[in-house]
Each structure stands twice: as structure tokens, then as C-alpha cells.
Amino acid sequence: MMKKKTVAHKALTLAVLTFLALNQAQAQSAPTYPVTTKVEQTDTYHGTPVADPYRWLEDDNSEQTKAWVKSQNLVTDAYLAAMPQRLPVRKLYTDLYNFEKFGIPFKEGGRYFWTRNNGLQQQAVLYTAKSPSDTPEIALDPNTLSKDGTAALGGYAASRDGKLLAYGVAAAGSDWQTWKVRDLTTGRDLADKLDWVKFSGAAWTPDGKGFFYSRYDEPAEGAALTGANYFQKLYYHRLGTPQSEDQLVASNPSEKEWGFGAEVSDDGKAVFITVWKGGEKNGLMLLPLVKGSYAGGEPKAISLAFDAQYVPVALNGNTLIVKTDKDAPRGRLVAIDLQASRKQPWKTLVAEGADAMTGASAVGGRLLLSYLRDASTVVRIHDMKGKLQGEVKLPGVGTASGFAGRTSDKETFFSYTSLTTPTETYRFDVAANKATLFKRPQTAFEAEQFETQRAFVTSKDGSKVPIFIAHKKGLVLDGNNPTLLYGYGGFNVPMTPSYGITAATWMKMGGVYVLAAIRGGGEYGSAWHEAGTKLKKQNVFDDFIAAGEWLVANKYTNPSKLAINGGSNGGLLVGAVVNQRPDLFGAAVPQVGVMDMLRYQKFTIGWAWEPDYGSSDKADEFKALLAYSPLHTIKSGAAVKYPAVLVTTGDHDDRVVPAHSFKYAAALQAADTGAAPKLIRIETQAGHGAGKPTSKIIEERADMLSFIANTFKMPVTQP
């Protein structure tokens, strides 16, 4: 047993001494780390013993862990404060962040809604107007919900008459949300209050009397941020009644991993119920409504095989249109006759093509289908019977998102961005196939001074992997350019070129920014995704390493000036490749990463990642996980030289619990990995990333770039 007061006191005392010492030292000096206590803890997996000496750091409520967090932050804060790049980079990042940011508008009840951040507001504000050209009014300002900006809008949905707004509030970065209802006429909240909501939106019935939402049972005391999330249930909340009287719509007591999402069809005749249990494969059910009202009843299963992805697009009379990758790895559109007396083969409306179908909507009597072609967006227009009618003209090779709406709408909105194009918003006339600019932000980033190109690198097994490279025009390929390589590689999430302040700041600093569309993502459909999962996860790391090697071979940079970054699953990516190829990189920043691949499934929603990662409960998958788990594959010894590493996490992260980063950082600091710093930056009152206030975003990401710049000895002048 550990002596709590002794451990905490020693750790904090050492950190204070280190803090004072570092204030007198140069940033390049190797820091002295707090001594992290080791415990005797060994688990046996399929006959293989695995030590876990930092298991105690999994208890985020203990005084020992809190003292450890303080001691680590003192060391890291001192190191970062001594860097001459810190203040100028933060000023540059702030200047580039300070511009109007708009969300994609949507229409409900004759009203338009969109979000706007005036530049440096902690949270974006939701506005509403009678027309896109009218002066908007504030529908809800989350900046008024907390003094420090850590209360964020987790989701919102307007009733069909546009008079009421259901909205969720997340505190301090947690995934947990409390939902309320606001009267948009008076600006006041009703008495309705829904707790323990997570991974859920709200779907109003057309009569405006209530909405569908999903929630979990109240967690045990002290387990809200770490306890496993099982047995989600779908409810209907009727306005004016307490949550305890909400009607249970769907659940499965025999399947703890089932979760539910709800969407009401455009015609108001049915509810699409998506059933999920981790991964991209899902089930789909349909629940009839009676004259726009919820009157109970049992949902009808469309498919509960969980053998593919089934995304409802529209209910066209008795025909349900669904986007699926069933028998079509790159996606297709099918029509299902709901009145068929026996099971009929589903009719293909739009067949699988060469590009990966990533989105589908029915607006203005047309089907708008989004695709990825080598990781950039293409949007095609079809009639409701599937016949191709044209293509949406986009501003360039980049990323377009949106195109939502109802079948009866004549218009929709979308956004467009690229690595050097700040996000623009367009209104799209469906019948005329014409896009007109709605909002274009004015920024301090001079896009005309920069350029982007797409290249293809060859991975270890011969696969071609697209990467996007952005930098100032006139770049000299002398192998000496500071370069930042970013990747994700998981969960069918495509990495497509889009404007970000981190990339823009890095490029303004003179660096090269590279985005790698590696396997595990959805850039080329489900086959590309599955090629980076479970026993094939090493492909993801091989792809990323190949991108780094290509950048060196083509003289963009050299290993001493190549930095890598990724968050969440991308944090796992960074941790894994640093352990496999520490010689290839000069700096690494894994953010909120999944670092303990043997125990990740034991916390919050981690079990839902098993379709991508596999589980240590299975012998073959355990072997694969142990081979790359960042926590368990750290190299040590005089011959090993690791790059500079800055680990980042948030103390309220209940998606990837901070214990992942805590244990990884402790192990990295304890190993003999060379003199380069191995630091951890732990943000307080912050979570996985969603809803993080502007001030915390700027500070964290500017510190990341400063850390890399300091490592590479890059001079940064005050803007």
C-alpha cells in the first residue's frame, strides 16, 4: 500500500524545487522530472505477465494523482515559460485566431439558425433570423452560462415551428450533458431539465410537444468521468413533465453495448432509430408516428445484423432510402419498399463507384451525394430515382460539408475549406445548381502567399497513401525546412484538407505543414478503413512512417526537423510511431491519446473502440495490441535517443481518460530515452476537446508550436 501523504508531499516538493531551478535555466536544458512512484502490479494475459507499475494513476479522484498532476504541470510550465518562442507564438496564434467563424446555417419553422464567433469569444453564439440577409438575433449565448467559458453547447435542435430550442450543455469538457428547452420568443428557459445525457441529440416530434433523446442511468458516485458507459436507452420527453416520467422508446437489457440515435422523417410519419454498438457498422429501426405525435409502439427492424453501415436518408412515400456499404465498400444508395409482403432484394438507386460515398441528403426533390476522390470532396446531384443530373461546382480541391435540409426545401447550405482557405459558407439553390457566397471571413492569413499540393507516398506493403503539403510559396527543397506532419488513421474518419489555425500559424512561422490520409480512415471507403484495424493496425503506423520518410527523401526536411502530431486515436498514432522509429522524428506531440491498449476498454466508452482496436481479452488481438501499445513499447538504453515529446491531456477527459497520458508520460520519463525533454501538459477544467474555450485552445496549441519551435531552434519574431 502507498502512503498517500508521503507520496503526495514528496512529489509536490520535488516539483517546486524543479520549478525554481528551471526558472534559472535555459529552455533547452533537460528537465528534472518528478519521481513517479511504482507499485507492484502485474496482470497476466493469455499466459503473458505484463507489469503495470503506474496503475494508481488511473484513480483520478485520489490525492496522490492530484499531487502528481500538480508536480508535472509545475515542471512543464517552467520549461515552457523559459522558451523565447512562447510569447511571440501565442501572439501570432491569437492574431490568426481572431476572425469571424460561422457555422453552416439550417432552417426550421421559417427561421434560419447559424453559429458565429466574433473572433476571440470563448464559445460560439447561436443566432437566428427570418432570412439569411436579415440582421440576426441571439438565440442562445453559451458565454453567459459560465464565468470561465468552460460551459459549451453540446447540441441543439429547434422545434418544427421554430419557436422552441432544445439544447445540451457540457461542463468543463465532459461528454456528459444536461439538456434544457428555451422559448425563442421570450428568450427564457422552460422548467424542463434532462440529466445524464451522453452521445445524443434531440429529435422533435412535428407536433412540438416533445422530443426523443438518449441517456444512461446515473453513474455511481465518483465514477462519472471513468466508469464504463453501458445500456444507453432512447426516451421520449414530453414538455412540462419531469424526466422521471419520460417514456422509454427503445432499449436492450440483454445487449449492454447497444446505443440509440433518433431522427424524425421529413414527412413526420416516422422516426429513424439508428442502433450502434461501436465501430461503423450499425442497426436501423423505424417507429411510426401518428399524425406527427408519439403514441408509443414497437420500432420495426430494418436491419439489426450489424454487418454494415445503414444511414437513413429519406422516407419517400413507402420507400426508405438508405446509404449503406453493404456489398459496396465505397458506399451505395438503396431503396427499401416498406410495404413488401415478403423480404425483397433492396433496389440500388445509386451504385457503388470509384470514389467513396461519405454523405447523402435529400433536399429540394434531389439527392445530394458527397464523395471523396483522393481525400478531397466531390458532390453529385441525382433525382429521387437515382439518375445523375450534375455535379456541384466547388471552389477548388478541398473539403465541402453540409448540404442538409428537407426534401421540400429549395435551398441548402454548405461550407468549403482547404489547407490555405479559411472556411467559407455558401447558399446552394438546388434546382438551379447554383452556389452563392453567404459568409467569407476576413483573416490575418495571407492565403495568396501559400500553396498546397497533393502527393502520394508508398507504404511498406506498396499501398499508395495521399498526403497534402502546404507552405509558403518559393520553398527551397534543401532538406532543412521545419515540418509538422499530422495524422489520425482510425474509425473510418477521413482526413481531408481544411483550414486550421495551428497549420496557419506553423506556416506563418516558416514551417511546412503536412496532412497524411493514412489507412484506418474513410478516405477510400470501408476497405481502406478495415485495412487499418485490429490485426492490421500496423498498416496505419507504416503509412505514417512512410510519409515521414518520403518528406526526408524528397528534401522537404530531415529527421531533426520533422515533428509529428495527432489527437485521440492520432495520439495513439504518434506514441506508437515514436516508439517504432524514434530516429525519424525531432519532436512529437501526442494529444489526449489512447496509450494503454491493454486496458482502454475498461473506461467510459472505450469498449466501443474494440471494432477498430480489438481487445486484450482475445489472445491474437492481445498479441497485436502489445506489439504497438505506446505504454508498453517504450525503448530504453544508451543507444536509444527519443525526440522531444510533449504529451497533452485534460483532467476532465471522459472520452479518453487522462490516465492513458499520465501512465505513458510517467513511463517515458522513467526510461532511458536520451536528453530531449519528455513533458506532459495537463489542462484543468478541460476534456477531450469538444467545447474547449477559445483561451484554452490558444494557450495549448501555441504551447505545442512553441515547444516544437524551441526544439528546432526556430527564431520567432513578435507579429
Side-chain angles (χ1 to χ4, degrees), residues 105 133 305 340 493 660 711:
S133 59
V493 176
H660 281 281
T711 301

Side-chain angles (χ1 to χ4, degrees), residues 16-74:
V16 171
L17 293 174
T18 306
F19 176 80
L20 295 173
L22 276 173
N23 266 337
Q24 307 300 319
Q26 294 296 317
Q28 289 78 10
S29 302
T32 301
Y33 309 111
V35 176
T36 305
T37 300
K38 293 184 178 182
V39 298
E40 293 295 330
Q41 175 66 50
T42 299
D43 302 309
T44 300
Y45 299 86
H46 312 286
T48 302
V50 180
D52 192 4
Y54 305 113
R55 177 73 60 84
W56 62 275
L57 285 169
E58 291 179 358
D59 185 359
D60 61 325
N61 292 314
S62 74
E63 292 303 316
Q64 298 102 305
T65 300
K66 292 177 182 178
W68 185 89
V69 168
K70 288 182 180 179
S71 66
Q72 291 286 346
N73 273 342
L74 280 169

